[in-house]
Amino acid sequence: MRTTVLENKREYFRLDLKPPLCASMRIVLIDGQPKKTGSTSVCIEDIGAGGLRFISHLKFPESRRIILEFDSRICGQYYKFWGSVVRAEKKEEGIWEYAIAFYVDEPTRSKYITLFNQLAVKLYKFKQWGSCDICPKEEPMECLRSRC
């Protein structure tokens, strides 16, 4: 019998979001040049100080040259997160899952750690989201299909 050990390469704790967090996403930079694009709805499945994982009906390449912006309300405040796709995987026909690495300075990363710890306490200890943009459906793919 062969056993495969998967190494967790993450530096920071990730918060698994069930139901997922709704966010608006858009492209803000390509090769360092600002872009004005429309936005689309995505479902964030997990998030941490180093990045997030989301699903979308749009296909993006794995590239550090394209910077995406995510907007969402967490614990009553609106946040913007910037990052690039470091992993892309087709989940089913027309649905893609992405891993994003954030572009962030250390003071901002420290704020993210505090924010996500507060959210984790609300979710796991008190079983409440507070004022966050949660998906109306429990399953992210179902939520995404209902909005496409």
Side-chain angles (χ1 to χ4, degrees):
M1 185 169 156
R2 188 174 202 180
T3 304
T4 304
V5 176
L6 297 176
E7 181 182 343
N8 183 352
K9 297 179 182 179
R10 293 185 182 136
E11 292 180 52
Y12 305 98
F13 161 78
R14 281 273 180 112
L15 183 58
D16 190 29
L17 303 172
K18 293 204 188 327
L21 185 67
C22 288
S24 176
M25 184 208 63
R26 66 187 185 99
I27 298 171
V28 292
L29 291 171
I30 300 177
D31 289 329
Q33 299 299 311
K35 298 296 174 189
K36 291 198 183 257
T37 65
S39 63
T40 188
S41 294
V42 299
C43 296
I44 298 175
E45 297 181 302
D46 69 42
I47 194 165
L52 59 83
R53 183 171 50 92
F54 76 97
I55 63 167
S56 173
H57 65 283
L58 298 176
K59 186 174 188 308
F60 294 99
E62 291 179 31
S63 175
R64 299 254 182 199
R65 298 174 33 222
I66 300 170
I67 307 300
L68 305 174
E69 176 185 81
F70 299 83
D71 297 313
S72 192
R73 187 171 51 112
I74 302 173
C75 297
Q77 292 188 354
Y78 286 91
Y79 290 90
K80 291 183 184 291
F81 305 101
W82 295 272
S84 61
V85 174
V86 294
R87 184 183 55 78
E89 180 182 329
K90 186 175 184 177
K91 296 306 280 182
E92 62 180 55
E93 193 60 39
I95 304 287
W96 294 84
E97 179 183 83
Y98 298 97
I100 298 295
F102 287 151
Y103 286 111
V104 63
D105 59 18
E106 284 311 309
T108 303
R109 191 177 314 275
S110 292
K111 290 177 186 175
Y112 287 174
I113 290 169
T114 301
L115 170 67
F116 300 139
N117 284 336
Q118 289 173 349
L119 182 58
V121 168
K122 284 185 177 191
L123 290 175
Y124 295 114
K125 188 173 182 181
F126 302 114
K127 307 289 187 224
Q128 61 179 280
W129 276 87
S131 47
C132 298
D133 289 338
I134 61 169
C135 286
K137 310 270 188 199
E138 184 72 26
E139 288 299 317
M141 287 189 232
E142 185 181 332
C143 178
L144 200 57
R145 274 191 227 95
S146 72
R147 293 185 282 156
C148 293

